[in-house]
Amino acid sequence: MTAPENFEIFTVKVEPAGLQYDVEGDLTLLEAAELSRIELPSSCRNGTCRTCVCRLVSGEVTYTIEWPGLSAEEKAEGYVLPCVARPTTNVVLEQTQARAT
Ligand code: FES
């Protein structure tokens, strides 16, 4: 079976725990973490409550919604909402509450 041409897999590292998982297709950072049995904080899962907010240490993401609940300053400082963010490169997140389940 061959993957579609634009099918990409990105690697996510979660520090400081040193956890790692892959994101395939159009999964969000949060959905892919859960499939890999990595627990990240979450509640609303639609980009409004900010429970999942964490820092993007490196890499790039795009959002599934037009106005994720982050200010322009927070975005500029590297904060992301994993429940509505899809990676477009390999990424490193800083989330001290992440844990393997
Ligand atoms: S879980 Fe609510 S903003 Fe991400």
Side-chain angles (χ1 to χ4, degrees):
M1 192 165 108
T2 57
E5 248 174 55
N6 61 354
F7 188 89
E8 295 187 81
I9 300 176
F10 298 110
T11 299
V12 180
K13 289 184 182 166
V14 187
E15 303 294 356
L19 302 169
Q20 183 170 321
Y21 64 97
D22 291 334
V23 183
E24 299 181 19
D26 60 1
L27 292 174
T28 66
L29 291 169
L30 178 64
E31 291 166 339
E34 290 171 343
L35 286 176
S36 299
R37 305 183 64 83
I38 292 173
E39 187 176 301
L40 301 177
S42 70
S43 181
C44 73
R45 307 175 69 90
N46 64 20
T48 56
C49 76
R50 300 167 52 92
T51 300
C52 65
V53 68
C54 68
R55 186 183 286 274
L56 183 67
V57 177
S58 67
E60 302 283 337
V61 300
T62 185
Y63 283 100
T64 61
I65 60 174
E66 199 167 345
W67 301 107
L70 290 172
S71 68
E73 291 78 19
E74 288 170 325
K75 282 188 190 173
E77 289 170 15
Y79 288 97
V80 294
L81 296 175
C83 68
V84 287
R86 294 181 180 133
T88 56
T89 66
N90 293 336
V91 303
V92 178
L93 300 176
E94 183 182 293
Q95 173 51 268
T96 57
Q97 297 172 62
R99 65 185 185 97
T101 61

XYZ file of all heavy atoms in Angstrom:
774
model
N 0.844 -1.182 0.000
C 0.000 0.000 0.000
C 0.886 1.241 0.000
O 1.835 1.342 0.771
C -0.880 -0.023 1.259
C -1.974 0.986 1.205
S -3.225 0.623 2.461
C -2.903 1.946 3.604
N 0.572 2.187 -0.854
C 1.367 3.408 -0.893
C 0.600 4.551 -0.252
O -0.626 4.628 -0.346
C 1.733 3.792 -2.342
O 0.533 3.922 -3.079
C 2.628 2.751 -2.988
N 1.338 5.450 0.381
C 0.724 6.608 1.033
C 0.406 7.667 -0.023
O 1.089 7.751 -1.034
C 1.690 7.183 2.056
N -0.644 8.456 0.194
C -0.917 9.562 -0.722
C 0.293 10.485 -0.809
O 1.078 10.588 0.142
C -2.100 10.283 -0.063
C -2.675 9.313 0.884
C -1.581 8.374 1.286
N 0.422 11.189 -1.921
C 1.608 12.010 -2.152
C 1.871 13.029 -1.055
O 3.002 13.276 -0.672
C 1.461 12.757 -3.476
C 2.435 12.285 -4.521
C 2.166 12.928 -5.848
O 2.135 14.153 -5.899
O 1.968 12.173 -6.818
N 0.792 13.653 -0.565
C 0.997 14.709 0.427
C 0.893 14.195 1.866
O 0.762 14.961 2.791
C 0.001 15.843 0.207
C -1.430 15.374 0.355
O -1.670 14.179 0.503
N -2.368 16.298 0.308
N 0.938 12.890 2.030
C 0.846 12.312 3.368
C 2.190 12.451 4.056
O 3.185 11.918 3.593
C 0.457 10.840 3.263
C 0.160 10.217 4.582
C -1.123 10.243 5.104
C 1.160 9.592 5.314
C -1.409 9.670 6.319
C 0.880 9.019 6.538
C -0.403 9.053 7.030
N 2.201 13.180 5.161
C 3.462 13.388 5.851
C 3.333 12.951 7.303
O 2.252 12.989 7.882
C 3.864 14.859 5.811
C 4.160 15.335 4.404
C 4.713 16.736 4.419
O 5.915 16.901 4.661
O 3.936 17.665 4.197
N 4.436 12.558 7.849
C 4.502 12.200 9.261
C 5.527 13.101 9.922
O 6.656 13.211 9.437
C 4.912 10.718 9.444
C 3.889 9.806 8.768
C 5.041 10.381 10.925
C 4.252 8.348 8.799
N 5.110 13.746 10.998
C 6.028 14.614 11.726
C 6.254 14.055 13.122
O 5.353 13.459 13.717
C 5.475 16.034 11.814
C 5.305 16.674 10.463
C 4.042 16.900 9.950
C 6.411 17.021 9.708
C 3.885 17.479 8.695
C 6.269 17.590 8.458
C 4.997 17.821 7.943
N 7.438 14.282 13.619
C 7.796 13.810 14.950
C 7.633 14.942 15.964
O 8.042 16.073 15.698
C 9.260 13.317 14.975
O 9.372 12.237 14.054
C 9.655 12.834 16.362
N 7.024 14.601 17.090
C 6.842 15.564 18.174
C 7.640 15.082 19.380
O 7.507 13.930 19.789
C 5.355 15.679 18.571
C 5.183 16.682 19.710
C 4.513 16.076 17.376
N 8.461 15.947 19.920
C 9.148 15.655 21.174
C 8.515 16.533 22.237
O 8.220 17.703 21.982
C 10.640 15.958 21.082
C 11.380 14.980 20.210
C 12.861 15.260 20.213
C 13.547 14.276 19.266
N 14.912 14.670 18.947
N 8.310 15.958 23.419
C 7.713 16.717 24.516
C 8.724 16.771 25.653
O 9.097 15.738 26.220
C 6.396 16.072 25.012
C 5.723 16.993 26.031
C 5.456 15.789 23.848
N 9.178 17.963 25.940
C 10.139 18.179 27.012
C 9.430 18.776 28.227
O 8.383 19.397 28.065
C 11.250 19.132 26.528
C 11.990 18.647 25.294
C 12.803 17.379 25.532
O 12.870 16.886 26.677
O 13.354 16.877 24.560
N 9.923 18.628 29.432
C 11.212 18.019 29.771
C 11.150 16.502 29.963
O 12.170 15.897 30.272
C 11.565 18.699 31.105
C 10.229 18.951 31.739
C 9.274 19.247 30.599
N 9.989 15.868 29.758
C 9.869 14.430 30.034
C 10.605 13.581 29.000
O 10.849 12.398 29.225
C 8.394 14.035 30.077
N 10.936 14.168 27.838
C 11.633 13.394 26.817
C 10.722 12.421 26.091
O 11.186 11.415 25.551
N 9.417 12.689 26.073
C 8.473 11.834 25.362
C 8.528 12.155 23.870
O 8.886 13.269 23.483
C 7.054 12.052 25.892
C 6.873 11.785 27.386
C 5.522 12.288 27.851
C 7.030 10.299 27.667
N 8.146 11.186 23.044
C 8.176 11.410 21.604
C 7.044 10.635 20.940
O 6.723 9.523 21.341
C 9.522 10.941 21.047
C 9.676 11.210 19.561
C 11.103 10.952 19.086
O 12.068 11.273 19.794
N 11.240 10.373 17.916
N 6.414 11.261 19.938
C 5.385 10.566 19.169
C 5.315 11.148 17.772
O 5.913 12.196 17.491
C 4.033 10.639 19.878
C 3.439 12.018 20.046
C 2.488 12.492 19.145
C 3.803 12.835 21.104
C 1.915 13.751 19.307
C 3.241 14.093 21.268
C 2.300 14.545 20.368
O 1.745 15.787 20.526
N 4.584 10.450 16.899
C 4.442 10.899 15.519
C 3.031 11.412 15.285
O 2.071 10.940 15.889
C 4.706 9.746 14.548
C 6.165 9.326 14.538
O 7.030 10.163 14.856
O 6.428 8.153 14.224
N 2.915 12.367 14.382
C 1.615 12.887 13.955
C 1.453 12.566 12.472
O 2.277 12.968 11.654
C 1.504 14.406 14.163
C 0.117 14.886 13.768
C 1.804 14.778 15.604
N 0.407 11.817 12.141
C 0.165 11.427 10.760
C -1.085 12.116 10.236
O -2.029 12.372 10.984
C -0.053 9.911 10.676
C 1.122 9.113 11.151
C 0.878 7.621 11.028
O -0.024 7.225 10.262
O 1.596 6.856 11.687
N -1.100 12.346 8.933
C -2.291 12.877 8.275
C -2.691 14.225 8.848
O -1.851 15.079 9.069
N -4.004 14.395 9.113
C -4.463 15.699 9.592
C -4.809 15.686 11.079
O -5.617 16.468 11.546
C -5.641 16.203 8.755
C -6.813 15.246 8.809
O -6.709 14.214 9.513
O -7.825 15.521 8.153
N -4.163 14.806 11.838
C -4.393 14.779 13.283
C -3.804 16.023 13.937
O -2.816 16.584 13.473
C -3.739 13.543 13.908
C -4.349 12.190 13.553
C -3.489 11.081 14.146
C -5.778 12.103 14.046
N -4.429 16.444 15.037
C -3.851 17.538 15.819
C -2.755 16.987 16.732
O -2.639 15.775 16.939
C -4.912 18.229 16.691
O -5.366 17.287 17.670
C -6.078 18.740 15.868
N -1.991 17.893 17.316
C -0.943 17.482 18.257
C -1.545 16.705 19.423
O -0.966 15.723 19.893
C -0.206 18.713 18.784
C 0.668 19.461 17.776
C 1.120 20.789 18.360
C 1.874 18.615 17.385
N -2.720 17.131 19.886
C -3.368 16.456 21.014
C -3.893 15.080 20.616
O -3.667 14.094 21.326
C -4.511 17.317 21.552
C -5.312 16.714 22.704
C -4.433 16.533 23.944
C -6.521 17.572 23.037
N -4.575 14.985 19.481
C -5.134 13.695 19.044
C -4.026 12.661 18.844
O -4.150 11.509 19.269
C -5.895 13.875 17.727
C -7.180 14.676 17.864
C -7.732 15.119 16.528
O -6.989 15.187 15.521
O -8.937 15.428 16.490
N -2.948 13.074 18.207
C -1.861 12.136 17.939
C -1.177 11.707 19.238
O -0.777 10.547 19.383
C -0.853 12.760 16.991
N -1.061 12.621 20.200
C -0.469 12.262 21.490
C -1.303 11.173 22.157
O -0.771 10.171 22.652
C -0.384 13.490 22.392
N -2.616 11.343 22.120
C -3.496 10.362 22.773
C -3.403 8.999 22.094
O -3.420 7.969 22.765
C -4.925 10.890 22.776
C -5.064 12.074 23.718
C -6.397 12.797 23.625
O -7.121 12.606 22.627
O -6.702 13.549 24.548
N -3.296 8.998 20.770
C -3.146 7.724 20.058
C -1.842 7.032 20.432
O -1.720 5.816 20.343
C -3.199 7.955 18.543
C -4.573 8.265 17.970
C -4.467 8.578 16.485
C -5.532 7.103 18.193
N -0.846 7.825 20.832
C 0.447 7.276 21.236
C 0.528 7.071 22.739
O 1.610 6.869 23.283
C 1.570 8.216 20.784
O 1.564 8.345 19.392
N -0.618 7.172 23.405
C -0.699 6.963 24.847
C 0.169 7.958 25.625
O 0.844 7.613 26.595
C -0.378 5.518 25.219
C -1.254 4.516 24.476
C -0.981 3.093 24.891
N -1.306 2.864 26.288
C -2.515 2.596 26.752
N -3.526 2.538 25.923
N -2.708 2.378 28.021
N 0.154 9.190 25.140
C 0.808 10.281 25.859
C -0.273 11.263 26.257
O -1.053 11.714 25.411
C 1.873 10.965 24.980
C 3.031 9.988 24.758
C 2.363 12.263 25.622
C 4.062 10.475 23.780
N -0.344 11.546 27.546
C -1.395 12.417 28.052
C -0.893 13.850 28.132
O 0.101 14.142 28.784
C -1.821 11.924 29.437
C -3.024 12.661 29.986
C -3.450 12.069 31.318
O -3.769 10.871 31.372
O -3.428 12.828 32.302
N -1.607 14.740 27.431
C -1.365 16.177 27.528
C -2.592 16.791 28.183
O -3.701 16.285 27.997
C -1.166 16.787 26.140
C -0.025 16.248 25.273
C -0.027 16.925 23.904
C 1.316 16.461 25.959
N -2.459 17.898 28.910
C -3.639 18.529 29.508
C -4.636 18.929 28.420
O -4.229 19.409 27.357
C -3.063 19.781 30.189
C -1.616 19.526 30.320
C -1.219 18.619 29.199
N -5.930 18.726 28.672
C -6.952 19.161 27.710
C -8.291 19.247 28.406
O -8.508 18.641 29.458
C -7.043 18.203 26.520
O -7.597 16.975 26.919
N -9.190 20.006 27.803
C -10.553 20.079 28.311
C -11.510 20.274 27.143
O -12.136 19.338 26.683
C -10.670 21.218 29.333
O -11.985 21.269 29.834
N -11.614 21.506 26.603
C -12.632 21.780 25.575
C -12.334 21.109 24.248
O -13.234 20.761 23.507
C -12.761 23.284 25.361
S -11.367 24.033 24.468
N -11.083 20.984 23.915
C -10.627 20.396 22.650
C -11.070 21.190 21.422
O -11.089 20.663 20.323
C -11.107 18.943 22.532
C -10.742 18.103 23.735
C -11.328 16.736 23.653
N -10.701 15.965 22.616
C -9.642 15.198 22.787
N -9.089 15.101 23.976
N -9.125 14.535 21.792
N -11.430 22.452 21.595
C -11.807 23.245 20.427
C -11.124 24.614 20.397
O -11.567 25.510 19.689
C -13.326 23.379 20.316
C -13.906 24.145 21.505
O -13.199 24.872 22.199
N -15.182 23.973 21.746
N -10.054 24.760 21.180
C -9.251 25.975 21.068
C -9.749 27.168 21.861
O -9.311 28.287 21.612
N -10.640 26.951 22.840
C -11.152 28.101 23.588
C -10.731 28.134 25.056
O -10.521 29.212 25.605
C -12.691 28.184 23.515
O -13.241 26.970 23.985
C -13.153 28.444 22.096
N -10.625 26.997 25.730
C -10.434 27.018 27.193
C -8.994 27.282 27.621
O -8.739 27.676 28.738
C -10.916 25.718 27.818
S -9.783 24.323 27.588
N -8.044 26.987 26.769
C -6.618 27.214 27.009
C -6.002 26.221 27.998
O -4.854 26.406 28.430
C -6.363 28.652 27.472
C -6.808 29.690 26.461
C -6.834 31.078 27.049
N -5.591 31.427 27.701
C -4.580 32.060 27.104
N -4.685 32.414 25.843
N -3.500 32.353 27.770
N -6.722 25.193 28.372
C -6.152 24.183 29.284
C -4.894 23.553 28.700
O -3.969 23.212 29.424
C -7.193 23.077 29.556
O -8.336 23.668 30.158
C -6.637 21.987 30.464
N -4.864 23.396 27.398
C -3.769 22.665 26.756
C -2.568 23.534 26.406
O -1.574 23.033 25.898
C -4.276 21.961 25.500
S -4.813 23.099 24.203
N -2.654 24.843 26.653
C -1.609 25.747 26.174
C -0.217 25.292 26.622
O -0.020 24.845 27.761
C -1.881 27.207 26.628
C -1.731 27.360 28.126
C -0.998 28.180 25.875
N 0.722 25.352 25.714
C 2.106 25.031 26.039
C 3.011 25.784 25.067
O 2.535 26.440 24.147
C 2.370 23.531 26.004
S 2.275 22.784 24.377
N 4.303 25.682 25.296
C 5.234 26.433 24.459
C 5.780 25.558 23.332
O 6.107 24.388 23.555
C 6.391 26.955 25.304
C 7.333 27.869 24.532
C 8.492 28.283 25.397
N 8.125 29.253 26.405
C 8.098 30.570 26.198
N 8.405 31.055 25.022
N 7.780 31.386 27.171
N 5.826 26.135 22.162
C 6.443 25.495 21.008
C 7.908 25.896 21.006
O 8.247 27.046 20.720
C 5.741 25.971 19.729
C 6.189 25.375 18.411
C 5.850 23.895 18.337
C 5.547 26.123 17.253
N 8.759 24.963 21.382
C 10.192 25.264 21.490
C 10.810 25.387 20.101
O 11.634 26.260 19.841
C 10.916 24.168 22.308
C 12.413 24.430 22.367
C 10.320 24.075 23.704
N 10.401 24.494 19.194
C 10.877 24.584 17.820
C 9.862 23.950 16.897
O 9.049 23.123 17.312
C 12.250 23.908 17.670
O 12.126 22.523 17.864
N 9.908 24.335 15.631
C 8.998 23.796 14.633
C 7.871 24.767 14.327
O 7.820 25.877 14.860
N 6.971 24.324 13.439
C 5.870 25.170 12.977
C 4.566 24.398 13.059
O 4.546 23.176 12.864
C 6.093 25.565 11.507
C 7.384 26.300 11.234
C 7.327 27.757 11.662
O 6.207 28.290 11.749
O 8.399 28.327 11.922
N 3.482 25.119 13.333
C 2.148 24.503 13.338
C 1.189 25.369 12.530
O 1.446 26.548 12.281
C 1.573 24.326 14.767
C 2.460 23.440 15.614
C 1.333 25.676 15.425
N 0.072 24.771 12.147
C -1.032 25.505 11.554
C -2.257 25.163 12.388
O -2.275 24.137 13.075
C -1.208 25.116 10.071
O -2.218 25.942 9.504
C -1.606 23.664 9.914
N -3.287 26.004 12.341
C -4.455 25.773 13.190
C -5.661 25.283 12.406
O -5.857 25.667 11.253
C -4.806 27.041 13.971
C -3.863 27.250 15.135
C -2.807 28.130 15.046
C -4.015 26.507 16.295
C -1.921 28.288 16.098
C -3.149 26.648 17.349
C -2.097 27.542 17.250
O -1.223 27.676 18.287
N -6.465 24.448 13.048
C -7.675 23.912 12.420
C -8.819 24.918 12.490
O -9.842 24.727 11.856
C -8.130 22.617 13.114
O -8.437 22.917 14.483
C -7.049 21.551 13.058
N -8.669 25.961 13.308
C -9.700 26.993 13.427
C -9.063 28.344 13.149
O -7.844 28.513 13.282
C -10.365 27.000 14.822
C -9.328 27.254 15.918
C -11.114 25.685 15.057
C -9.940 27.420 17.293
N -9.899 29.323 12.792
C -9.352 30.608 12.366
C -8.805 31.428 13.530
O -7.808 32.122 13.401
C -10.434 31.394 11.630
C -9.871 32.501 10.776
C -10.920 33.062 9.829
O -11.973 32.412 9.641
O -10.684 34.144 9.306
N -9.485 31.350 14.683
C -9.082 32.198 15.811
C -8.841 31.366 17.064
O -9.650 31.378 17.980
C -10.163 33.249 16.102
C -10.452 34.141 14.957
C -11.558 34.118 14.169
C -9.621 35.179 14.428
N -11.467 35.075 13.202
C -10.288 35.747 13.339
C -8.366 35.680 14.794
C -9.751 36.779 12.590
C -7.825 36.724 14.057
C -8.518 37.255 12.970
N -7.716 30.630 17.128
C -7.408 29.910 18.374
C -7.250 30.898 19.517
O -6.863 32.049 19.290
C -6.100 29.187 18.056
C -5.513 29.929 16.899
C -6.661 30.506 16.124
N -7.597 30.461 20.740
C -7.636 31.354 21.889
C -6.284 31.779 22.418
O -5.968 31.590 23.589
N -5.483 32.369 21.562
C -4.172 32.898 21.941
C -4.075 34.333 21.450
O -4.558 34.646 20.362
C -3.051 32.096 21.266
C -2.799 30.675 21.724
C -1.802 30.008 20.790
C -2.288 30.635 23.158
N -3.438 35.194 22.244
C -3.218 36.568 21.789
C -2.057 36.577 20.795
O -1.262 35.631 20.723
C -2.890 37.470 22.979
O -1.624 37.114 23.500
N -1.965 37.669 20.045
C -0.856 37.810 19.097
C 0.478 37.744 19.840
O 1.447 37.157 19.355
C -0.981 39.116 18.339
N 0.509 38.332 21.066
C 1.747 38.316 21.859
C 2.111 36.890 22.250
O 3.270 36.490 22.206
C 1.591 39.169 23.123
C 1.491 40.660 22.873
C 0.107 41.092 22.381
O -0.872 40.321 22.564
O 0.001 42.174 21.791
N 1.090 36.118 22.669
C 1.366 34.726 23.055
C 1.883 33.920 21.869
O 2.807 33.128 22.002
C 0.104 34.083 23.635
C -0.251 34.613 25.003
C -1.612 34.156 25.475
O -2.539 34.014 24.642
O -1.755 33.949 26.686
N 1.255 34.123 20.716
C 1.737 33.416 19.522
C 3.179 33.805 19.231
O 4.012 32.957 18.917
C 0.872 33.758 18.312
C -0.440 33.026 18.284
C -1.114 33.306 16.954
C -2.529 32.816 16.947
N -3.238 33.218 15.733
N 3.465 35.105 19.340
C 4.819 35.583 19.061
C 5.821 34.998 20.048
O 6.983 34.787 19.722
C 4.856 37.103 19.095
N 5.354 34.733 21.281
C 6.232 34.158 22.301
C 6.344 32.646 22.175
O 7.028 31.994 22.949
C 5.730 34.537 23.696
C 5.945 36.004 24.011
C 5.238 36.427 25.287
O 4.816 35.555 26.067
O 5.100 37.641 25.498
N 5.615 32.055 21.226
C 5.770 30.636 20.954
C 4.764 29.737 21.646
O 4.957 28.532 21.712
N 3.672 30.311 22.157
C 2.663 29.460 22.782
C 1.736 28.878 21.729
O 1.424 29.532 20.723
C 1.861 30.245 23.822
C 2.673 30.526 25.055
C 3.322 31.732 25.227
C 2.822 29.547 26.031
C 4.104 31.979 26.341
C 3.594 29.777 27.153
C 4.230 30.995 27.304
O 5.006 31.215 28.402
N 1.298 27.641 21.950
C 0.396 26.959 21.019
C -0.709 26.259 21.800
O -0.587 25.995 23.003
C 1.139 25.917 20.149
C 2.134 26.588 19.220
C 1.818 24.859 21.006
N -1.784 25.929 21.086
C -2.889 25.145 21.646
C -2.919 23.800 20.912
O -3.448 23.705 19.804
C -4.217 25.887 21.457
C -4.356 27.210 22.197
C -5.663 27.891 21.817
C -4.281 27.009 23.706
N -2.355 22.762 21.506
C -2.234 21.473 20.810
C -3.558 20.859 20.359
O -3.575 20.072 19.417
C -1.549 20.578 21.854
C -0.778 21.530 22.695
C -1.637 22.762 22.782
N -4.677 21.210 20.996
C -5.951 20.593 20.613
C -6.421 21.035 19.234
O -7.244 20.347 18.623
C -7.033 20.859 21.647
S -7.561 22.579 21.746
N -5.925 22.163 18.747
C -6.343 22.657 17.429
C -5.143 22.960 16.526
O -5.281 23.675 15.535
C -7.248 23.902 17.552
C -8.623 23.520 18.063
C -6.617 24.974 18.433
N -3.975 22.432 16.888
C -2.762 22.700 16.106
C -2.289 21.437 15.406
O -2.222 20.365 16.017
C -1.655 23.234 17.017
N -1.964 21.585 14.136
C -1.364 20.495 13.370
C 0.063 20.897 13.023
O 0.302 22.018 12.579
C -2.119 20.278 12.062
C -3.517 19.789 12.227
C -4.140 19.587 10.860
N -5.499 19.124 10.987
C -6.524 19.637 10.307
N -6.316 20.598 9.437
N -7.727 19.167 10.474
N 0.999 19.973 13.174
C 2.382 20.328 12.831
C 2.569 20.392 11.314
O 1.940 19.641 10.568
C 3.194 19.184 13.437
C 2.262 18.020 13.436
C 0.880 18.605 13.664
N 3.426 21.292 10.886
C 3.831 21.343 9.474
C 5.322 21.048 9.336
O 5.857 21.067 8.237
C 3.514 22.718 8.857
O 4.145 23.736 9.638
C 2.006 22.974 8.841
N 5.965 20.811 10.480
C 7.371 20.378 10.531
C 7.478 19.470 11.759
O 6.514 19.339 12.515
C 8.336 21.568 10.755
O 8.085 22.112 12.070
C 8.143 22.648 9.698
N 8.630 18.873 11.980
C 8.864 18.232 13.266
C 8.835 19.326 14.330
O 9.286 20.446 14.069
C 10.214 17.522 13.295
C 10.253 16.343 12.347
O 9.206 15.776 12.000
N 11.436 15.967 11.925
N 8.301 19.020 15.511
C 8.204 20.047 16.536
C 8.702 19.548 17.893
O 8.732 18.336 18.150
C 6.754 20.584 16.713
C 6.211 21.134 15.409
C 5.836 19.524 17.264
N 9.071 20.496 18.733
C 9.400 20.223 20.139
C 8.474 21.087 20.984
O 8.402 22.305 20.776
C 10.872 20.543 20.464
C 11.149 20.288 21.947
C 11.811 19.710 19.597
N 7.746 20.448 21.885
C 6.848 21.149 22.797
C 7.438 21.142 24.200
O 8.105 20.175 24.590
C 5.477 20.454 22.871
C 4.674 20.320 21.582
C 3.407 19.530 21.861
C 4.344 21.682 21.009
N 7.151 22.187 24.968
C 7.496 22.198 26.391
C 6.182 22.139 27.156
O 5.386 23.077 27.120
C 8.251 23.465 26.741
C 8.688 23.498 28.192
C 9.396 24.794 28.495
O 10.484 25.031 27.969
O 8.824 25.593 29.253
N 5.934 21.008 27.797
C 4.703 20.807 28.562
C 5.063 19.970 29.785
O 5.255 18.751 29.693
C 3.656 20.091 27.694
C 2.389 19.669 28.414
C 1.748 20.785 29.215
O 2.024 20.962 30.393
N 0.883 21.548 28.559
N 5.145 20.636 30.935
C 5.633 19.949 32.133
C 4.644 18.920 32.662
O 5.026 18.043 33.442
C 5.941 20.969 33.262
O 4.745 21.722 33.519
C 7.077 21.897 32.853
N 3.373 19.003 32.242
C 2.367 18.054 32.746
C 2.188 16.825 31.852
O 1.319 15.998 32.114
C 1.024 18.771 32.895
C 1.083 19.894 33.907
C -0.194 20.694 33.890
O -1.274 20.177 34.168
N -0.107 21.965 33.553
N 2.950 16.710 30.788
C 2.810 15.561 29.878
C 3.310 14.289 30.569
O 4.269 14.321 31.340
C 3.620 15.801 28.616
N 2.606 13.185 30.288
C 3.067 11.924 30.853
C 2.607 10.773 29.969
O 1.565 10.857 29.307
C 2.604 11.721 32.281
C 1.112 11.585 32.416
C 0.713 11.519 33.877
N -0.726 11.269 33.966
C -1.264 10.079 34.138
N -0.490 9.015 34.237
N -2.574 9.925 34.198
N 3.371 9.696 29.977
C 2.975 8.492 29.253
C 1.937 7.762 30.081
O 2.019 7.730 31.306
C 4.194 7.612 29.031
N 0.915 7.184 29.416
C -0.126 6.462 30.157
C -0.033 4.967 29.901
O 0.641 4.532 29.005
C -1.525 6.944 29.749
O -1.726 6.704 28.362
C -1.709 8.417 30.036
S -8.235 21.871 25.300
Fe -9.262 23.785 25.438
S -7.987 25.121 24.279
Fe -7.078 23.161 23.995
